[in-house]
């Protein structure tokens, strides 16, 4: 039976419907907002073995028909997910994952299918809401609902769920996901807005999200299924009490003064003691049938020990206080041939970042459901296995790498001037990793772009904060290391300049955090960011005065729009000739801006001169190098600029009498001619006489 609930969100109707489509799924919800619509189906199936992790998969796929398009390419059908689809799937996953039943290990897939797109309302938000609603009404144990809204800001006014067109004018683009009224996920960017403005936007978003949560609960009351029963895997009675003292003793030997390797070795030593066949515990474990549970108990003991120390005495495993940032070193120009490079090291995390500059032809063309556009700034993140001392096969970038690269790209985008005419590609290769390599990438990208001479409006630095809470006591940790991320309850990444925030991302392992805790974390992150910015500014505080000698040079010229066709020529003849002869790359915009790119200054000058000659007006008294284009009985026509011919009358060919033009000139011959008159009708008179008397030549002009 079809069930529908509706409500107004930012003045537009949001509809949740179930019971009409995909009825064999565990839970299926059709979500419509404006004329954008998404179908979300959630299914779970039992597994015959314990995979050791929770196998949740989120799939977000856009159908081209949703926007009335036919896919490009040879096959004319949708292929592998685009970068936007991958990023959206990650966005949906992050608030959902922490809310599944503890110990629930059935395989779960949430499939989001975009069916309609109205170019105003982003289907990604509908998919996030639909995923929550589908899980909520299904038989899958899940402690939702979670609702997401997008928050923008135009002319100082905060707007919830701005349209795509409004976002183009907005200085804030923030997705806020809430469970009840508590925030569970953040993702977005701003144009250097201060922390208090972003906090206010989060609060407004949370209020609207709470209303959507109520709508989902209404749907569950009317159409929800009973939840399936599962038995969480628990440790055998008495095992944990035996394991904890051993793990605590070994870790405690290094806690407060150890690094990543020391703490890993301490845990390994604890496992060796527990597994020693000569030890008393190994015999006891065998007698009680505990062998398959020992390692799981040891991991729990490790987590509990770390958390008890952090909440008890505030000591971190490497000896830092809660708001301390690890040692930072910054180096630039570390690679000899790149346009810009930097090596950023923070503790045991290191990013090698390089910048490459190119022209308009290097822009990335993106064919999106919301329309085609071009990207002139790209940041790509790579995480080779050696960065954590592992051996893994080399494949293409995974979802994590795409997500980290997108976050860093968003953080840097805010400080790149819009009038910088180069296409920029930044690549970050993580050489070591122990905590927030994405924020190390942000810092390294800022350094290498200044090294390349890109006129950034300021440095951007990023820091990751963590949280440990037992429900009563909480501690927020600055610059979290890998273990603190793994064993803690929050990963909050904030990047920005001295003026404000440029990018933010937050994931939780608990069911939500309060606004008060978030505001405190924002202020702590700002202190950390200013410290990191100071270290970066000691290395390089302003962009270099000039681009790298290895970078291409771009020259821009403005021509009249009505002369664009003349510059291009019939079938592209003129622009092709200029490109081939000068060796420069030339691009012409619709507004008449001509961009010339080349690595050779002489080639650039030649291209400029040829463009000027092509679109300029011939000057009386100026001497030109021309080509005889045709021979007539009364004279010859000479092309003095691309597409511009002048008449060289037979009487003007020589001081001596010329009987036949063909006796002196031939078609294709190069000749020097002077413009004697430019008539009102555009006709041009030329002469070859007395050229030595000219005071202005093409070279002198």
């Amino acid at each position: 039976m079809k069930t529908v609930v509706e409500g107004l969100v930012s003045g537009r109707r949001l509809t949740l419907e179930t019971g009409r489509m995909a009825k064999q799924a565990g839970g299926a919800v059709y979500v419509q907002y404006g004329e954008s619509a998404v179908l979300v189906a959630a299914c779970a199936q039992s597994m015959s073995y314990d995979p050791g992790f929770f196998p949740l998969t989120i799939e977000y796929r856009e159908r081209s028909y949703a926007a009335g398009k036919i896919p490009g390419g040879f096959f004319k059908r949708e292929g592998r997910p685009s970068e936007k689809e991958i990023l959206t799937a990650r966005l949906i996953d992050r608030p959902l994952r922490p809310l599944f039943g503890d110990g629930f290990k059935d395989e779960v897939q949430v499939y989001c299918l975009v069916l309609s797109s109205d170019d105003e309302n982003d289907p990604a938000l509908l998919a996030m809401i639909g995923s929550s609603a589908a899980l909520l009404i299904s038989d899958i144990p899940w402690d939702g609902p979670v609702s997401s809204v997008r928050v923008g800001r135009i002319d100082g006014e905060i707007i919830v769920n701005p349209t795509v067109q409004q976002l183009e004018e907005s200085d804030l683009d923030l997705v806020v996901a809430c469970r009840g009224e508590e925030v569970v996920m953040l993702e977005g960017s701003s144009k250097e807005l201060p922390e208090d403005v972003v906090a206010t936007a989060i609060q407004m978003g949370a209020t609207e999200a709470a209303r959507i949560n109520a709508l989902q609960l209404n749907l569950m009351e009317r159409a929800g299924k009973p939840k399936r029963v599962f038995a969480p895997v628990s440790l055998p009675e008495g095992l944990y009490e035996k394991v904890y003292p051993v793990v605590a003793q070994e870790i405690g030997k290094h806690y407060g003064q150890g690094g990543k390797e020391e703490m890993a070795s301490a845990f390994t030593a604890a496992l060796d003691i527990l597994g020693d066949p000569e030890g008393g515990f190994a015999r006891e474990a065998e007698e009680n049938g505990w062998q398959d549970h020992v390692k799981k108990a040891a991991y729990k003991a490790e987590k509990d020990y770390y958390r008890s120390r952090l909440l008890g005495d505030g000591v971190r495993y490497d000896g830092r206080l809660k708001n301390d940032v690890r040692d930072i070193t910054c180096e630039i120009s570390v690679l000899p041939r790149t346009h810009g490079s930097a090596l950023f090291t923070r503790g045991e995390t290191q990013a090698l970042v390089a910048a490459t500059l190119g022209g308009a032809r290097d822009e990335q063309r993106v064919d999106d459901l919301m329309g085609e556009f071009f990207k002139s700034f790209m940041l790509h993140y790579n995480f080779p296995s050696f960065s954590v001392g592992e051996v893994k096969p080399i494949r293409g970038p995974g979802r994590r790498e795409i997500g980290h690269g997108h976050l860093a790209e968003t953080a840097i985008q805010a400080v790149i001037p819009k009038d910088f005419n180069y296409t920029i590609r930044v690549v970050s290769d993580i050489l070591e990793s122990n905590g927030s390599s994405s924020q190390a990438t942000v810092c390294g990208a800022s350094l290498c772009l200044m090294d390349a001479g890109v006129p950034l409006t300021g440095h951007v630095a990023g820091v990751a904060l963590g949280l440990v809470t037992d429900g009563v006591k909480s501690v927020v940790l600055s610059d979290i290391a890998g273990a603190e991320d793994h064993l803690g309850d929050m990963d909050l990444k904030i990047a920005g300049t001295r003026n404000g925030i440029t990018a933010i991302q937050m994931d939780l392992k608990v069911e939500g955090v309060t606004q008060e805790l978030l505001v405190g974390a924002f202020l702590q992150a700002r202190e950390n960011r200013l410290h990191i910015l100071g270290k970066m500014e000691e290395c390089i505080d302003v962009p270099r005065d000039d681009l790298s000698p290895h970078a291409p040079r771009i020259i821009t010229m403005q021509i009249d729009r009505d002369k664009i066709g003349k510059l291009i020529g019939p079938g592209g003849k003129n622009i092709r000739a200029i490109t081939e002869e000068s060796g420069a790359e030339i691009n012409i915009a619709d507004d008449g801006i001509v961009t010339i790119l080349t690595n050779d200054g002489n080639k650039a000058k030649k291209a400029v001169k040829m463009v000027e000659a092509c679109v300029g007006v011939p000057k009386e008294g100026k001497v030109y190098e021309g080509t005889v284009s045709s021979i007539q009985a009364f004279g010859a026509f000479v092309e003095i600029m691309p597409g511009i011919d002048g008449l060289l009358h037979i009487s003007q060919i020589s001081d001596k009498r010329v009987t036949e033009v063909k006796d002196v000139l031939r078609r294709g011959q190069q000749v020097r001619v002077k413009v004697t008159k430019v008539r009102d009708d555009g006709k041009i008179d030329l002469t070859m006489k007395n050229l030595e008397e000219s005071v202005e030549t093409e070279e002198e002009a």
Side-chain angles (χ1 to χ4, degrees):
M1 183 178 68
K2 185 172 80 169
T3 305
V4 180
V5 296
E6 296 180 329
L8 290 178
V9 179
S10 296
R12 281 159 280 165
R13 186 164 298 279
L14 175 67
T15 302
L16 305 180
E17 173 194 309
T18 189
R20 182 164 66 104
M21 300 182 187
K23 293 187 290 293
Q24 295 188 45
V29 175
Y30 174 82
V31 186
Q32 183 167 340
Y33 190 53
E35 292 186 343
S36 289
V38 179
L39 173 66
V40 184
C43 295
Q45 62 183 22
S46 301
M47 302 191 68
S48 58
Y49 65 97
D50 182 357
F53 62 93
F54 174 44
L56 169 66
T57 304
I58 307 294
E59 297 291 347
Y60 172 85
R61 299 299 175 95
E62 297 177 336
R63 293 293 186 252
S64 295
Y65 63 70
K69 296 181 178 180
I70 295 176
F74 182 79
F75 294 104
K76 293 297 179 184
R77 68 174 297 165
E78 293 84 1
R80 65 180 184 178
S82 66
E83 183 172 298
K84 182 197 172 183
E85 289 171 313
I86 291 171
L87 292 171
T88 303
R90 282 175 53 86
L91 201 63
I92 297 169
D93 182 296
R94 286 160 38 206
L96 300 185
R97 188 176 291 272
L99 302 180
F100 284 89
D102 186 26
F104 181 66
K105 294 292 178 66
D106 288 358
E107 186 174 15
V108 176
Q109 183 184 60
V110 178
Y111 201 119
C112 311
L113 195 58
V114 178
L115 305 180
S116 179
S117 175
D118 62 6
D119 293 334
E120 287 190 0
N121 302 290
D122 189 355
L125 284 177
L126 309 189
M128 297 180 75
I129 296 169
S131 297
S132 170
L135 288 168
L136 198 63
I137 67 171
S138 75
D139 64 337
I140 301 170
W142 186 72
D143 195 16
V146 169
S147 291
S148 302
V149 296
R150 175 170 266 117
V151 185
R153 181 175 177 269
I154 301 176
D155 296 330
E157 180 184 356
I158 295 175
I159 301 172
V160 177
N161 279 2
T163 64
V164 174
Q165 293 77 16
Q166 287 176 320
L167 272 179
E168 294 178 358
E169 305 173 28
S170 175
D171 56 11
L172 174 69
D173 182 1
L174 181 65
V175 175
V176 181
C178 295
R179 178 181 180 271
E181 294 185 354
E182 290 192 326
V183 179
V184 295
M185 193 276 293
L186 296 171
E187 172 92 21
S189 62
S190 77
K191 295 178 181 176
E192 302 182 76
L193 294 182
E195 281 74 8
D196 60 338
V197 173
V198 176
T200 301
I202 292 172
Q203 186 174 10
M204 290 187 65
T207 301
E208 195 69 38
R211 294 179 60 245
I212 303 175
N213 281 331
L215 202 65
Q216 292 188 53
L217 289 171
N218 185 8
L219 183 68
M220 182 187 70
E221 290 173 2
R222 297 173 57 186
K225 299 177 182 178
K227 297 297 182 181
R228 66 176 67 181
V229 178
F230 73 99
V233 178
S234 58
L235 295 173
E237 186 176 352
L239 171 61
Y240 180 77
E241 290 75 15
K242 296 282 186 179
V243 168
Y244 183 84
V246 177
V247 173
Q249 181 179 3
E250 292 303 311
I251 292 178
K253 293 177 182 179
H254 300 280
Y255 196 93
Q257 56 189 358
K260 178 181 179 180
E261 292 186 4
E262 289 83 1
M263 302 310 296
S265 297
F267 182 73
T268 301
L271 291 178
D272 290 342
I273 293 172
L274 294 170
D276 184 1
E278 301 298 324
F281 175 79
R283 289 193 297 271
E284 185 178 359
E286 185 175 359
E287 291 171 1
N288 291 289
W290 290 348
Q291 299 95 321
D292 294 338
H293 303 279
V294 172
K295 185 172 286 189
K296 186 177 294 184
Y299 281 126
K300 184 178 186 308
E302 178 193 32
K303 179 177 181 178
D304 289 347
Y305 182 82
Y306 272 79
R307 293 171 66 88
S308 66
R309 292 295 302 270
L310 287 167
L311 290 171
D313 53 26
V315 176
R316 303 170 72 171
Y317 79 85
D318 55 6
R320 286 184 290 153
L321 299 177
K322 67 175 186 177
N323 58 349
D324 285 347
V325 175
R326 289 168 290 181
D327 290 340
I328 291 172
T329 59
C330 305
E331 303 173 56
I332 57 173
S333 301
V334 294
L335 302 176
R337 290 287 300 184
T338 56
H339 300 164
S341 60
L343 186 66
F344 179 85
T345 308
R346 185 192 61 243
E348 296 170 298
T349 297
Q350 185 178 73
L352 176 65
V353 193
T356 307
L357 305 182
R361 293 182 184 177
D362 296 309
E363 289 183 333
Q364 181 183 10
R365 174 179 170 270
V366 181
D367 188 9
D368 188 73
L369 194 67
M370 311 296 282
E372 181 181 291
F373 62 93
F374 290 86
K375 287 179 63 175
S376 59
F377 174 59
M378 300 158 279
L379 194 152
H380 298 143
Y381 166 101
N382 300 310
F383 192 84
S385 56
F386 66 74
S387 65
V388 288
E390 295 179 353
V391 178
K392 288 185 178 179
I394 301 173
R395 297 193 175 96
R399 291 189 171 194
R400 176 182 177 277
E401 290 173 298
I402 291 173
H404 280 24
H406 174 74
L407 176 62
E409 180 180 293
T410 300
I412 298 293
Q413 182 77 62
V415 297
I416 297 177
K418 291 184 178 180
D419 58 355
F420 188 65
N421 294 316
Y422 287 85
T423 296
I424 307 170
R425 180 178 185 243
V426 173
V427 178
S428 174
D429 286 306
I430 303 304
L431 306 186
E432 296 179 50
S433 181
N434 183 23
S436 196
S437 54
S438 68
Q439 299 309 288
T441 293
V442 170
C443 300
S446 185
L447 288 165
C448 83
L449 288 170
M450 283 202 176
D451 180 49
V454 177
L456 302 186
T457 57
H459 263 312
V460 181
V463 66
L465 282 78
L467 169 71
V468 175
T469 180
D470 60 3
V472 179
K473 297 174 66 177
S474 298
V475 57
V476 176
L477 306 174
S478 296
D479 181 25
I480 54 174
E484 293 168 333
D485 181 13
H486 175 65
L487 302 173
D489 300 316
M490 177 180 76
D491 182 11
L492 171 62
K493 301 182 178 77
I494 299 182
T497 65
R498 289 191 174 276
N499 298 326
I501 294 172
T502 60
I504 184 171
Q505 183 182 91
M506 185 186 77
D507 300 322
L508 293 178
K509 297 175 187 174
V510 291
E511 294 181 347
V513 293
T514 63
Q515 294 283 334
E516 292 77 14
L517 189 147
L518 269 182
V519 170
F522 280 9
L523 296 177
Q524 187 169 323
R526 176 172 173 76
E527 292 179 7
N528 299 151
R529 185 170 78 245
L530 294 177
H531 167 72
I532 299 170
L533 286 168
K535 295 291 186 181
M536 295 167 62
E537 289 163 354
E538 289 176 7
C539 180
I540 180 172
D541 60 347
V542 293
R544 295 195 186 278
D545 294 334
D546 196 12
L547 301 179
S548 163
H550 306 300
R553 266 35 184 189
I554 289 182
I555 299 173
T556 58
M557 303 171 57
Q558 178 71 60
I559 66 172
D560 293 338
R561 295 179 63 178
D562 57 2
K563 293 185 178 179
I564 292 176
K566 184 178 180 182
L567 178 57
I568 295 173
K573 171 187 173 184
N574 295 346
I575 195 66
R576 189 163 53 246
I578 295 172
T579 300
E580 292 173 357
E581 187 172 339
S582 68
E585 177 186 319
I586 301 174
N587 296 285
I588 309 168
D590 293 339
D591 57 1
I593 293 180
V594 179
T595 305
I596 299 170
L597 180 141
T598 177
N599 289 320
D600 188 318
N602 292 328
K603 291 180 179 179
K605 291 178 182 178
K606 186 172 184 178
V608 169
K609 185 180 291 186
M610 294 180 73
V611 170
E612 288 177 340
C614 183
V615 299
V617 178
K619 296 181 181 179
E620 293 184 5
K622 184 175 179 179
V623 176
Y624 293 88
E625 292 283 351
T627 303
V628 177
S629 57
S630 66
I631 302 293
Q632 306 293 333
F634 52 82
F637 286 97
V638 179
E639 186 178 49
I640 58 174
M641 294 181 177
I644 299 179
D645 288 344
L647 174 61
L648 178 63
H649 192 269
I650 190 170
S651 64
Q652 297 298 316
I653 294 177
S654 173
D655 292 330
K656 299 178 181 179
R657 179 177 174 79
V658 177
T659 306
E660 295 283 344
V661 177
K662 62 183 180 181
D663 293 339
V664 181
L665 302 174
R666 66 182 184 281
R667 187 177 178 185
Q669 181 179 346
Q670 299 291 313
V671 294
R672 286 173 62 82
V673 294
K674 181 170 68 175
V675 176
T676 57
K677 190 171 185 61
V678 179
R679 301 180 183 274
D680 293 339
D681 59 3
K683 293 181 179 180
I684 302 167
D685 294 338
L686 306 174
T687 183
M688 293 178 63
K689 296 180 178 181
N690 303 319
L691 297 188
E692 66 280 5
E693 297 176 2
S694 174
V695 296
E696 182 179 23
T697 66
E698 183 182 10
E699 287 75 15
E700 295 167 342

